Amino acid sequence: MIETLFPNVNWDKMWEATYETLYMTTISTLATFIIGLAIGIVLFLTSPHQMWANKLVYFLTGSLVNIFRSIPFIVLIILLIPFTKLMLGTIRGVNAALPALIIGAAPFYARLVLIALREVDKGVIEAARSMGAKTSTIIMKVLVPESMPALISGITVTAIALVGYTAMAGIIGAGGLGNAAFIDGFQRSRSDVTLMATIIILVIVFIIQFIGDFITNRVDKR
Amino acid sequence: MISLKDIKKIYKTKNGDLTAVNGVDLNIRQGEIFGIIGYSGAGKSTMIRLLNGLEKPSTGTVTINGHEISSSKGAELRAMRQKISMIFQHFNLLWSRTVAENIEFPLEIAGVPKEERKKRVDELIDLVGLFGRGNAYPSQLSGGQKQRVGIARALANNPEVLLCDEATSALDPETTDAILDLLLDINKRLNLTIVLITHEMHVIQKICDRVAVMEAGKVVEMGDVLQVFQSPQQKITKRFVSQVSGEDQTKEAIRELNKSYRSGKLIKITFVGEQTNEPVISQMMKKFPIDANIVHGSIQHTQSGPYGTLIVHLEGGVQDVQAAIQFLTDSNLQAEVVSND
């Protein structure tokens, strides 16, 4: 049945491509979470009236985030080719896509982190300060846990955007489902391959959204 | 124990300077409950935050137990804050932590080992009457219970001073009384100095030993609660006192009465402490050929004793009424003729 609907799909290659997409998405999401969180926290703490209020750092970090967020992803990949080559020695394969994916997604996530941290009750931060908490304690034990639902739903949105980015990265040679859909499907006029790749991408997106919603609800005790 | 010397706090704003606290000198004694009352904008929120260094004075010094907190920074300031706890109007609990974990938080900050933390948390949960609720999240608690968690959390590191920032203002009257009783109990049991700010005279009356009245960044009146209740000097203080004496509601009635009585005098008598037990009015009526009609009466209990007001209409000869008022004054009561204003 499936063989008749999708006559041209090479299942071994399709699973390989799925694995590559999952690999790129997972690694880049993890790195984006850490880097985006760090940038978001710096943005928050240096914003006016905060613990490390600093106009210059806030302005520079904010500008950097805005610049990288504004560059279309497909252009960013091309701009980063020399950087990737310098770092990894190649511009082909799944690992070569990672720098562009992370640099593209981390600033976006940093903005979501900033929004999440601004929602943390100021009174709770004041309470922690009144107890003699250090700034690092406030970050680890107040800011991050108290904004966790928003941080999780933010990384869910970012991870789904990253699935889309991996497809674009695939077209210029990173492999994965985007590569399968474009090179094996579109360029060889095998629309069943394109369709199958699309279906798998959809399933991945739905699963990410489901896991994200599930964890968000679990950590939200409000 | 706590002393504020010539404190000024000026905020720079876009619309020029804003003076929140304007030249305050205060001394708060070890073990007392000291109340600061004022309307919003009087500078009391800033005042209480000067006591734990959340705000720094523009000029002047704040000293607690010999340590000058107004000039402390970094690790030294954080160590002092562990001994100066604070509770808040909106409780400010971490929703992401259970009751037990919230109470544990200041102990984590102080670096207490895990075993000891658990033991201390159990003690505190019992102390504030939250037995069995340790694993609940704040969202599952009522306002009064949340404030009990706030108090337990504040007591975790055995503080020397407890600051209460409008701690009962978000609670209903009954819960307010329960929380005030708890604070009083803690004050007596642990000999803890408590400084509270409020806009409710009821809070001052119920638990405070001394009170400072703030208006526009200045302390306009200060003294023992009983004395302030008995003879408030400033207009604003009189307004606060009438909040609890019930005179507010009777003002209208007095005005009407003053119109309807053709003769005689309407007088207000203030009793303090032991005097409330003496049958002064009946003595007065036996002594002088006059009639007395009681218009309004109330007795309030403060930490340093009861205090009462009575509004009486005296009918009789002008001489006799005058003599009766003199008799009341001679009995060490405050008696004043209520005018027609």
Side-chain angles (χ1 to χ4, degrees):
Chain A
M1 165 74 174
I2 287 183
E3 261 72 33
T4 51
L5 273 176
F6 300 98
N8 300 313
V9 173
N10 177 336
W11 293 102
D12 285 343
K13 274 178 88 175
M14 196 54 90
W15 293 136
E16 171 89 27
T18 307
Y19 168 77
E20 285 166 354
T21 293
L22 287 175
Y23 173 84
M24 286 188 282
T25 308
T26 310
I27 303 286
S28 59
T29 301
L30 284 175
T32 298
F33 181 74
I34 294 164
I35 297 169
L37 188 60
I39 300 173
I41 288 171
V42 169
L43 274 176
F44 178 75
L45 290 177
T46 56
S47 55
H49 308 297
Q50 289 301 333
M51 284 160 265
W52 296 344
N54 184 322
K55 275 187 186 149
L56 185 70
V57 177
Y58 181 69
F59 175 76
L60 287 179
T61 318
S63 308
L64 214 65
V65 164
N66 283 345
I67 289 168
F68 279 100
R69 227 157 44 103
S70 312
I71 302 174
F73 184 68
I74 195 83
V75 179
L76 185 70
I77 302 175
I78 297 162
L79 286 176
L80 283 176
I81 286 176
F83 173 73
T84 309
K85 204 163 186 179
L86 194 76
M87 255 183 69
L88 299 164
T90 174
I91 58 156
R92 299 197 61 81
V94 284
N95 285 322
L98 292 177
L101 288 172
I102 295 162
I103 292 172
F108 173 72
Y109 185 55
R111 279 283 163 203
L112 298 181
V113 170
L114 180 63
I115 294 168
L117 296 180
R118 281 190 181 149
E119 292 297 309
V120 174
D121 186 355
K122 286 177 188 65
V124 177
I125 300 170
E126 187 183 42
R129 288 181 64 211
S130 81
M131 290 174 215
K134 285 186 285 200
T135 306
S136 60
T137 309
I138 292 175
I139 293 170
M140 298 310 292
K141 296 196 168 182
V142 180
L143 288 175
V144 171
E146 292 282 297
S147 61
M148 200 45 101
L151 293 180
I152 300 284
S153 54
I155 199 64
T156 309
V157 171
T158 311
I160 289 169
L162 275 167
V163 174
Y165 287 178
T166 64
M168 274 189 259
I171 290 169
I172 67 139
L177 290 164
N179 184 64
F182 187 72
I183 310 280
D184 293 349
F186 176 71
Q187 287 194 338
R188 297 189 191 174
S189 301
R190 293 169 174 170
S191 47
D192 58 329
V193 175
T194 308
L195 182 63
M196 194 65 228
T198 312
I199 291 171
I200 297 173
I201 288 176
L202 280 178
V203 170
I204 292 174
V205 168
F206 285 151
I207 291 173
I208 292 173
Q209 187 66 56
F210 177 80
I211 295 173
D213 288 347
F214 179 77
I215 299 176
T216 304
N217 287 330
R218 277 300 284 275
V219 298
D220 199 344
K221 309 286 186 191
R222 281 172 288 193
Chain B
M1 143 142 224
I2 301 174
S3 96
L4 286 81
K5 281 207 177 68
D6 194 29
I7 297 292
K8 269 196 184 130
K9 175 69 187 181
I10 298 159
Y11 291 106
K12 302 240 178 283
T13 69
K14 276 177 200 149
N15 308 320
D17 288 358
L18 186 99
T19 310
V21 177
N22 193 0
V24 167
D25 284 279
L26 264 187
N27 280 296
I28 297 170
R29 301 174 196 135
Q30 161 72 40
E32 76 174 334
I33 303 185
F34 190 92
I36 299 170
I37 192 166
Y39 293 110
S40 46
K44 53 194 197 307
S45 289
T46 307
M47 277 278 283
I48 202 158
R49 279 165 179 74
L50 288 165
L51 301 183
N52 60 2
L54 285 176
E55 297 279 1
K56 297 281 178 191
S58 306
T59 64
T61 55
V62 180
T63 316
I64 295 183
N65 253 354
H67 301 285
E68 196 179 306
I69 193 156
S70 47
S71 61
S72 302
K73 283 197 193 91
E76 189 194 358
L77 176 62
R78 290 198 298 272
M80 287 171 74
R81 281 180 180 162
Q82 289 174 15
K83 292 290 169 194
I84 308 164
S85 289
M86 193 164 183
I87 58 174
F88 303 87
Q89 177 174 9
H90 298 295
F91 325 120
N92 296 351
L93 305 176
L94 284 89
W95 61 256
S96 57
R97 287 177 168 235
T98 61
V99 166
E101 288 165 348
N102 263 290
I103 301 172
E104 198 178 349
F105 189 35
L107 296 166
E108 290 170 23
I109 292 170
V112 177
K114 193 163 182 147
E115 286 291 299
E116 256 174 78
R117 292 206 303 256
K118 299 281 174 224
K119 237 182 81 197
R120 181 82 183 122
V121 167
D122 288 341
E123 282 169 24
L124 288 160
I125 287 180
D126 284 354
L127 178 75
V128 298
L130 283 173
F131 188 74
R133 309 278 0 231
N135 291 321
Y137 282 91
S139 61
Q140 299 163 315
L141 303 179
S142 68
Q145 288 173 322
K146 283 182 197 166
Q147 197 57 290
R148 283 171 192 273
V149 179
I151 293 170
R153 181 174 74 173
L155 296 177
N157 282 324
N158 297 310
E160 290 154 5
V161 181
L162 177 64
L163 308 175
C164 307
D165 177 15
E166 298 271 9
T168 57
S169 299
L171 304 174
D172 61 64
E174 229 161 279
T175 315
T176 295
D177 281 351
I179 293 294
L180 292 178
D181 284 336
L182 177 62
L183 288 175
L184 198 57
D185 178 53
I186 289 164
N187 163 258
K188 296 256 150 54
R189 220 179 323 165
L190 309 175
N191 191 29
L192 182 68
T193 310
I194 297 180
V195 182
L196 61 85
I197 62 170
T198 184
H199 60 267
E200 296 168 311
M201 203 59 182
H202 170 74
V203 174
I204 303 283
Q205 175 211 315
K206 196 166 155 70
I207 68 169
C208 289
D209 300 304
R210 288 198 304 151
V211 60
V213 183
M214 275 193 86
E215 192 178 25
K218 287 192 163 125
V219 172
V220 292
E221 190 162 351
M222 188 168 78
D224 291 339
V225 168
L226 200 56
Q227 173 214 326
V228 169
F229 266 83
Q230 184 192 355
S231 53
Q233 302 299 313
Q234 302 293 325
K235 202 169 172 192
I236 182 175
T237 316
K238 286 178 185 161
R239 238 156 77 204
F240 278 123
V241 170
S242 67
Q243 258 183 24
V244 284
S245 64
E247 277 169 65
D248 264 358
Q249 295 96 301
T250 49
K251 250 186 191 138
E252 196 59 35
I254 290 169
R255 202 171 296 144
E256 288 305 310
L257 280 168
N258 255 329
K259 274 188 216 157
S260 61
Y261 286 124
R262 305 251 161 73
S263 55
K265 282 222 157 76
L266 210 51
I267 60 166
K268 178 176 148 192
I269 308 165
T270 310
F271 307 83
V272 177
E274 291 302 304
Q275 295 166 340
T276 46
N277 302 330
E278 284 168 30
V280 188
I281 298 292
S282 85
Q283 282 169 12
M284 173 188 78
M285 285 167 67
K286 279 179 197 150
K287 225 170 160 164
F288 304 97
I290 53 169
D291 287 320
N293 180 23
I294 294 173
V295 177
H296 164 84
S298 71
I299 290 188
Q300 314 294 331
H301 284 271
T302 73
Q303 275 316 294
S304 24
Y307 137 89
T309 52
L310 203 55
I311 295 176
V312 186
H313 180 253
L314 299 183
E315 185 81 68
V318 179
Q319 297 279 323
D320 293 330
V321 169
Q322 209 50 257
I325 294 173
Q326 189 58 46
F327 167 77
L328 292 173
T329 315
D330 292 344
S331 315
N332 283 324
L333 294 180
Q334 272 193 15
E336 54 175 319
V337 177
V338 182
S339 55
N340 258 320
D341 57 42

